[in-house]
Amino acid sequence: MLARVWSASIVGIDAVKVGVEVDVSGGLPGIVVLGLPDSAIQESRERVKATLKNAGFAFPMRKIVINLTPADLRKEGPCFDLPISVGILAASEQVSADLLGDYLFLGEVSLDGSLRPVAGVLPIAAAAQKMGIAGLVIPADNAQEAAVVEGLAVYGCKHLSDVVDFLNHPGRYKPVQMDSTREIATVSYPGADLHDVKGQAHARRALEIAAAGGHNLIFVGPPGSGKTMLARRLPGILPPLSFAESLEVTRIHSVAGLLKNRGSLVRDRPFRSPHHSASGPSLVGGGSFPRPGEISLSHRGVLFLDELTEFKRDVLEFLRQPLEDGYVTISRTKLSVTFPAQFTLVASTNPCPCGYYGDTIQQCTCSPRQREQYWAKLSGPLMDRIDLQVAVNRLKPEEITQQPTGEASTSVRERVQQASDRAITRFQEEPNLRCNAHMQSRHLQKWCKLDDASRNLLEVAIRKLGLSARASDRVLKVGRTIADLAGDDELKTSHVAEAIQYRTIDRMQ
């Protein structure tokens, strides 16, 4: 007898509907899996056989052919365990097949019949809703994640016997319910408080501007000046994710299998901090089945690269295209996937190999040639894409011993939220634009108009600092954010002047 069960496979962060056809017929006992399965699916033959026996079902001692369609799509992962099990039970007439065409099944099965959670459930649920699928039958641990998608009935089961009982008696079960509004409202603000930072008013101001406008930021200073400490306080002043943004972030983390300890929705903006030994594919994503890398896991959040100059130059060059376009495309021989990558880059570095160039207390031991080679790791095009370049100086003795007197993150976050709301209101006719850092040239002409004094000031800065056209546009974007923080509709000379002050590395070279 032939049975067909619907499941799905992940391609990038999207889902493709997969048919699981199971034919039980006469012949020598055995299981054959067709349709480009990976090793995990091949292993499911023995896993499903043991599961059905241990769960109290009869395993047909006949020839079983399992075909995964479409045949030219590579399938991977243990999520096909459940649909294969259900297909074998339906084909051997141990379960009703009436509902198989209406629901989509996925999940990993243990040898005792219990269902284990799998990655990528949210994008599969979103795709199923668009396909017109009535509902999902999935492991109970994935149910809240899938229930985020409205208009889709989600049934969470703990054991294979629960799935069989649902198919035979669907009226006994109710779909999982989740209040998405309540979920997104429970936002926590991770990270330490800005109130604990001593001194560094200039760097604190740069953090506020970066948070309000989504601007890329680099701190340059000697060891122990507080660069890393400052950067790790940025998440605490970022505006909260909207529901649409939260869904975007959750889809990426779901595919990467990182939702286990984060609930059904990612409510906090991501903060990723890879080690400087990270490879290019680990940053942008990759693999034979492409998976999102650190820059996509930082989508709508922060990618923090501590000790930036310790990263390999070719690895840093991978950042250039995503920083400009907001996405990354990974191409393979038979597959091309696109991952979103709109993130704020925050970096820190020493001013030279020894770390003390320009320090007022400890003398630098590096030669000019060594400093030149040190900074050569950061290409001009990459530095052009970093809006805020801030020098962080060593604290004075009296600043070290005094009690912290700076503003708390709560107060700064209120100003950031107000500035962000002003930008969102301004961009309401631009659905893909949510912060000043992502403005294009046509947006600058509309919202960053300069008077004669501001234009002359910017021209002088371009000549003296050797700013490129891209770097000068970045100055205007930062100026627009400074104006939003001040509550001004027009870009003023003072805003442009302050934005120019944040081109530290341009002034050093």
Side-chain angles (χ1 to χ4, degrees):
M1 182 178 176
L2 175 66
R4 173 179 286 172
V5 182
W6 292 113
S7 188
S9 182
I10 293 293
V11 179
I13 59 169
D14 299 314
V16 177
K17 190 177 181 181
V18 174
V20 181
E21 300 173 336
V22 180
D23 178 68
V24 177
S25 59
L28 293 175
I31 304 177
V32 178
V33 183
L34 309 175
L36 295 182
D38 73 342
S39 57
I41 299 176
Q42 292 286 5
E43 290 174 355
S44 69
R45 295 178 299 177
E46 297 301 324
R47 189 161 54 243
V48 167
K49 183 177 180 180
T51 297
L52 292 179
K53 290 182 178 180
N54 293 333
F57 300 101
F59 185 83
M61 299 305 295
R62 306 174 71 185
K63 183 179 180 180
I64 301 174
V65 178
I66 300 170
N67 183 40
L68 307 178
T69 61
D72 60 345
L73 175 69
R74 185 77 176 175
K75 293 89 177 176
E76 63 165 339
C79 66
F80 292 99
D81 286 2
L82 179 58
I84 288 174
S85 301
V86 171
I88 292 175
L89 291 173
S92 58
E93 299 182 339
Q94 298 182 67
V95 66
S96 172
D98 295 340
L99 299 179
L100 295 186
D102 299 329
Y103 291 89
L104 191 148
F105 299 78
L106 66 150
E108 179 184 349
V109 296
S110 298
L111 296 184
D112 62 354
S114 59
L115 303 186
R116 296 172 57 84
V118 293
V121 169
L122 180 58
I124 290 175
Q129 193 268 342
K130 293 180 181 178
M131 295 173 191
I133 297 292
L136 262 63
V137 180
I138 56 178
D141 289 342
N142 287 129
Q144 288 291 325
E145 176 187 345
V148 171
V149 179
E150 297 180 355
L152 186 71
V154 176
Y155 297 90
C157 301
K158 294 184 177 180
H159 196 274
L160 180 60
S161 58
D162 297 333
V163 178
V164 173
D165 189 46
F166 166 75
L167 291 173
N168 290 331
H169 308 95
R172 298 178 181 176
Y173 293 82
K174 293 183 179 180
V176 175
Q177 301 292 330
M178 196 196 78
D179 186 352
S180 301
T181 305
R182 181 181 61 82
E183 280 285 323
I184 198 65
T186 57
V187 180
S188 62
Y189 291 96
D193 199 289
L194 268 177
H195 176 70
D196 301 328
V197 178
K198 298 179 181 180
Q200 307 296 7
H202 187 55
R204 290 168 56 98
R205 171 66 171 172
L207 276 179
E208 183 176 342
I209 296 171
H215 300 289
N216 302 320
L217 166 67
I218 183 171
F219 288 128
V220 183
S225 56
K227 304 183 296 295
T228 302
M229 178 188 66
L230 285 161
R232 293 192 178 278
R233 279 156 175 75
L234 180 58
I237 61 174
L238 291 172
L241 289 168
S242 66
F243 181 67
E245 290 174 330
S246 182
L247 282 178
E248 290 178 27
V249 175
T250 304
R251 286 181 66 184
I252 299 170
H253 283 70
S254 175
V255 169
L258 299 179
L259 281 186
K260 185 175 181 181
N261 299 319
R262 304 198 66 169
S264 56
L265 270 178
V266 177
R267 297 177 291 274
D268 307 321
R269 292 191 180 271
F271 184 89
R272 306 289 298 183
S273 180
H275 190 260
H276 59 73
S277 61
S279 65
S282 72
L283 283 182
V284 301
S288 53
F289 297 101
R291 285 289 182 263
E294 291 292 340
I295 62 174
S296 293
L297 293 173
S298 305
H299 181 62
R300 302 297 184 189
V302 177
L303 175 66
F304 176 47
L305 301 183
D306 200 8
E307 301 298 341
L308 184 67
T309 47
E310 296 300 322
F311 284 79
K312 295 180 180 178
R313 178 177 173 129
D314 60 333
V315 172
L316 295 178
E317 293 303 297
F318 279 108
L319 298 173
R320 286 167 55 178
Q321 182 259 334
L323 283 172
E324 195 71 24
D325 298 335
Y327 63 88
V328 59
T329 299
I330 301 173
S331 298
R332 295 292 180 264
T333 304
K334 297 183 179 180
L335 181 67
S336 179
V337 298
T338 298
F339 295 119
Q342 282 194 343
F343 59 95
T344 298
L345 174 65
V346 178
S348 69
T349 186
N350 295 330
C352 65
C354 78
Y356 295 102
Y357 179 65
D359 189 51
T360 56
I361 298 178
Q362 191 157 338
Q363 185 176 2
C364 174
T365 60
C366 303
S367 67
R369 177 61 177 168
Q370 287 176 315
R371 290 195 292 268
E372 182 180 347
Q373 291 176 337
Y374 182 76
W375 282 104
K377 296 179 181 179
L378 307 180
S379 67
L382 177 62
M383 297 310 301
D384 273 353
R385 290 168 168 82
I386 299 181
D387 309 18
L388 303 166
Q389 305 168 3
V390 183
V392 182
N393 298 319
R394 181 196 296 267
L395 289 176
K396 299 176 182 178
E398 57 271 21
E399 290 177 321
I400 296 176
T401 57
Q402 72 179 5
Q403 292 297 319
T405 58
E407 272 188 295
S409 292
T410 304
S411 302
V412 178
R413 186 167 60 245
E414 290 177 359
R415 290 199 301 272
V416 167
Q417 182 66 66
Q418 292 171 3
S420 178
D421 290 342
R422 288 177 66 88
I424 292 174
T425 301
R426 184 167 58 247
F427 303 144
Q428 57 186 351
E429 296 182 358
E430 300 278 351
N432 297 323
L433 189 60
R434 295 193 60 83
C435 64
N436 293 327
H438 300 151
M439 288 192 294
Q440 303 297 322
S441 297
R442 59 187 177 90
H443 302 132
L444 296 179
Q445 296 172 9
K446 183 177 181 180
W447 291 307
C448 298
K449 296 180 180 178
L450 299 176
D451 56 25
D452 291 340
S454 299
R455 186 176 296 104
N456 291 335
L457 177 62
L458 182 57
E459 289 175 357
V460 171
I462 292 173
R463 282 194 297 269
K464 289 190 174 182
L465 302 180
L467 300 181
S468 66
R470 181 188 289 114
S472 62
D473 284 350
R474 299 277 174 171
V475 170
L476 292 178
K477 294 175 186 178
V478 172
R480 180 65 265 174
T481 300
I482 294 171
D484 287 340
L485 286 168
D488 295 330
D489 294 327
E490 301 296 330
L491 198 59
K492 299 179 180 179
T493 305
S494 59
H495 305 145
V496 177
E498 183 179 355
I500 293 172
Q501 294 301 309
Y502 294 111
R503 304 300 302 187
T504 296
I505 295 178
D506 295 316
R507 298 200 302 272
M508 289 173 56
Q509 295 176 342

